[in-house]
Amino acid sequence: MQEILDAILSTDSTPADFAALALPESYRAVTLHKDEEQMFAGLDSRDKDPRKSLHIEDVALPELGPGEALVAVMASAVNYNTVWSSIYEPVSTFGFLERYGRLSPLTKRHDLPYHVLGSDLAGVVLRTGAGVNAWKPGDEVVAHCLSVELESSDGHNDTMMDPEQRIWGFETNFGGLAQIALVKTNQLMPKPAHLTWEEAASPGLVNSTAYRQLVSQNGAGMKQGDNVLIWGASGGLGSYATQYALAGGATPICVVSNDQKAEICRAMGAEAIIDRSAEGYKFWKDENTQDPREWKRLGGRIRELTGGEDVDIVFEHPGRETFGASVYVTRKGGTIVTCASTSGFMHQYDNRYLWMSLKKIVGSHFANYREAWEANRLVAKGKIHPTLSKVYTLEQTGQAALDVHQNKHQGKVGVLCLAPSEGLGVRNAELREKHLPAINRFRDI
Ligand SMILES: NC(=O)c1ccc[n+]([C@@H]2O[C@H](COP(=O)([O-])OP(=O)(O)OC[C@H]3O[C@@H](n4cnc5c(N)ncnc54)[C@H](OP(=O)(O)O)[C@@H]3O)[C@@H](O)[C@H]2O)c1
């Protein structure tokens, strides 16, 4: 592994040098163990501690298949799916691996008693499989997390529609929280040259998701002048949604839960901010009963901030706790676009407000190949910036996941895999210099 790292850190390694590197038989990775699936049975979600379920251990290097690449991972990031996997909610990810394993002898590789997690990476291509021409050893890359087979026509217009669509490192094995990862080469994209490894590894999943959900015609199709209510506006998804709203000429109305998060939204350029804790919204009177007066209070607050206008789009992901309010506050003809249900997936809303006011609820999930590419392109051009707040070592991934689980983080949380320290991997210092304050926005607070 040291030789691989030396080649990456050296400034004059050639593709031939990378191709000549011997690959190790095993590598260090963050794993879950199948025989521990029941370890948290009976516990409340908040009492399930990822530090107990996530292991750091050596695992065997998988065989490289056609159309695939083995990538030396310099850095990765924690996503909320790392939290879901590590607390075995809503289901154990081993079921995904078993199902994938039944597809073909090649996918059978994924069905193992351990699961290497991680749906983001920045690193260097080590080997490519048969039939790969666009990428070669030595290429500096990031990977998006869409894994598809594309054997059915269903996914030929929009790769998210593939019946065999999976999220790499969540519904497949050999993810990015490791020294080496296995990806399909269609997941690879050029690493933004002005970013460090850990900065480059952090946008991938959430940036692509926010792009489809908010900007793409497959999501809300945001346009100039739209008012966009963004829940969790300084969080993983929200920190990108806020940037997309601002960059696209829309007005974000950012919902956060404390002053520090409000400050980050202001630093991104947002002006309309709602502190849901300080303003004490309580959309549920008890477990089964919502309080429409609280929806109305939120709507009134939005109008105060927008000069009397309602929101064209609600960027939804908290789910059960906020969904009734989200449907209520959307303007006539507006769109509630949802990609998650962090607080519960059985939503309840008053349908009269939906049909009488001709609103739409749109489901959105990750991003297709093209959307992921567009989202990465915007990062590479310095138009959208990483929102990295804190970086952990691979050994500390359990703590990093706990922080995200407990909502103690800002923006994105990074993980160093092979990179020996932060700050490495910048290839375009001039572009970096130009955007340095924006790149460090989440770090400085
Ligand atoms: N479908 C997809 O492709 C996809 C992709 C990415 C993420 N997701 C899902 O989307 C969700 C959010 O992911 P993320 O990466 O943005 O997570 P995150 O970094 O934890 O950010 C979520 C933010 O939502 C806010 N929030 C949490 N619970 C809330 C509640 N009950 N009411 C109102 N606001 C609440 C919090 O902000 P404040 O405390 O400041 O309000 C939090 O910072 C997760 O469930 C994740 O699995 C889905």
Side-chain angles (χ1 to χ4, degrees):
M1 206 61 80
Q2 190 57 45
E3 279 175 25
I4 291 174
L5 182 58
D6 290 344
I8 296 171
L9 295 178
S10 151
T11 46
D12 52 12
S13 302
T14 64
D17 293 335
F18 279 100
L21 285 170
L23 296 185
E25 283 176 10
S26 63
Y27 63 101
R28 281 195 97 54
V30 176
T31 63
L32 287 175
H33 289 181
K34 193 172 189 171
D35 61 7
E36 293 179 349
E37 270 178 333
Q38 295 304 322
M39 70 187 296
F40 296 132
L43 288 182
D44 206 77
S45 288
R46 74 182 138 240
D47 297 328
K48 298 180 181 174
D49 185 343
R51 292 174 304 183
K52 295 190 177 147
S53 54
L54 294 176
H55 302 272
I56 315 292
E57 62 184 337
D58 288 339
V59 297
L61 192 72
E63 183 196 330
L64 180 64
E68 294 179 340
L70 286 166
V71 180
V73 184
M74 293 298 273
S76 182
V78 170
N79 280 296
Y80 215 92
N81 72 11
T82 321
V83 177
W84 292 127
S85 311
S86 67
I87 63 173
Y88 295 103
E89 282 192 25
V91 291
S92 161
T93 53
F94 286 98
F96 301 142
L97 302 185
E98 283 165 22
R99 221 165 305 134
Y100 193 29
R102 286 197 287 270
L103 196 63
S104 75
L106 210 57
T107 63
K108 182 77 187 136
R109 290 170 303 166
H110 291 256
D111 182 11
L112 294 168
Y114 59 84
H115 187 181
V116 181
L117 302 179
S119 300
D120 274 316
L121 73 72
V124 178
V125 174
L126 292 174
R127 289 279 194 285
T128 54
V132 176
N133 304 306
W135 302 98
K136 59 182 183 317
D139 285 345
E140 298 192 344
V141 294
V142 290
H144 68 66
C145 60
L146 174 58
S147 168
V148 282
E149 310 302 317
L150 288 186
E151 291 184 298
S152 155
S153 63
D154 288 359
H156 289 176
N157 264 349
D158 176 1
T159 44
M160 278 305 292
M161 297 297 179
D162 189 71
E164 298 294 340
Q165 179 270 318
R166 291 179 173 82
I167 299 296
W168 159 72
F170 178 59
E171 293 162 296
T172 79
N173 216 324
F174 317 121
L177 285 164
Q179 294 174 323
I180 295 180
L182 179 78
V183 297
K184 292 180 188 287
T185 51
N186 286 340
Q187 290 174 242
L188 296 177
M189 306 184 291
K191 171 188 165 288
H194 65 303
L195 300 180
T196 64
W197 296 110
E198 60 280 6
E199 288 162 359
S202 70
L205 183 147
V206 282
N207 180 35
S208 311
T209 306
Y211 181 87
R212 180 180 177 110
Q213 191 176 349
L214 190 56
V215 179
S216 167
Q217 290 303 323
N218 290 317
M222 183 193 79
K223 62 180 189 327
Q224 292 191 18
D226 279 351
N227 292 319
V228 185
L229 184 75
I230 302 172
W231 291 104
S234 76
L237 285 170
S239 58
Y240 290 90
T242 301
Q243 293 188 68
Y244 280 117
L246 289 163
T251 301
I253 294 106
C254 295
V255 186
V256 291
S257 62
N258 63 38
D259 272 350
Q260 208 182 26
K261 293 181 175 192
E263 199 44 52
I264 288 185
C265 293
R266 276 188 208 101
M268 282 190 282
E271 291 171 6
I273 293 162
I274 295 175
D275 182 335
R276 67 181 171 102
S277 304
E279 296 180 24
Y281 294 103
K282 219 166 162 266
F283 301 125
W284 291 80
K285 287 189 209 165
D286 59 47
E287 221 172 282
N288 301 309
T289 325
Q290 298 210 51
D291 185 350
R293 283 172 312 180
E294 285 292 272
W295 303 346
K296 209 167 175 176
R297 185 158 76 90
L298 177 70
R301 181 76 178 109
I302 291 169
R303 286 181 182 174
E304 258 174 51
L305 292 166
T306 57
E309 295 178 345
D310 294 331
V311 292
D312 300 273
I313 299 168
V314 179
F315 186 85
E316 246 294 338
H317 50 88
R320 182 169 173 84
E321 204 158 308
T322 54
F323 206 81
S326 293
V327 170
Y328 178 82
V329 301
T330 303
R331 73 175 287 183
K332 202 163 183 167
T335 303
I336 303 98
V337 62
T338 173
C339 79
S341 292
T342 313
S343 65
F345 47 78
M346 294 303 279
H347 296 185
Q348 194 189 79
Y349 64 90
D350 186 333
N351 201 35
R352 291 169 297 179
Y353 293 112
L354 190 87
W355 99 71
M356 292 296 285
S357 293
L358 302 104
K359 303 179 189 184
K360 289 181 282 293
I361 295 173
V362 175
S364 190
H365 185 39
F366 189 60
N368 64 31
Y369 278 174
R370 184 68 197 173
E371 289 158 344
W373 187 277
E374 295 284 359
N376 183 59
R377 177 172 162 267
L378 289 165
V379 174
K381 283 179 168 286
K383 289 179 184 290
I384 295 291
H385 302 290
T387 61
L388 186 66
S389 60
K390 201 167 174 185
V391 179
Y392 292 82
T393 62
L394 198 62
E395 284 68 27
Q396 296 166 327
T397 303
Q399 183 61 48
L402 182 66
D403 287 357
V404 174
H405 184 25
Q406 294 180 336
N407 195 17
K408 285 185 177 154
H409 66 300
Q410 320 279 4
K412 289 295 301 178
V413 170
V415 175
L416 295 182
C417 298
L418 276 172
S421 62
E422 295 180 41
L424 304 172
V426 175
R427 309 293 180 228
N428 183 341
E430 201 182 327
L431 185 61
R432 180 177 185 76
E433 192 55 34
K434 191 170 158 198
H435 295 296
L436 203 54
I439 293 168
N440 285 329
R441 222 152 27 197
F442 279 64
R443 294 220 171 199
D444 294 343
I445 293 187

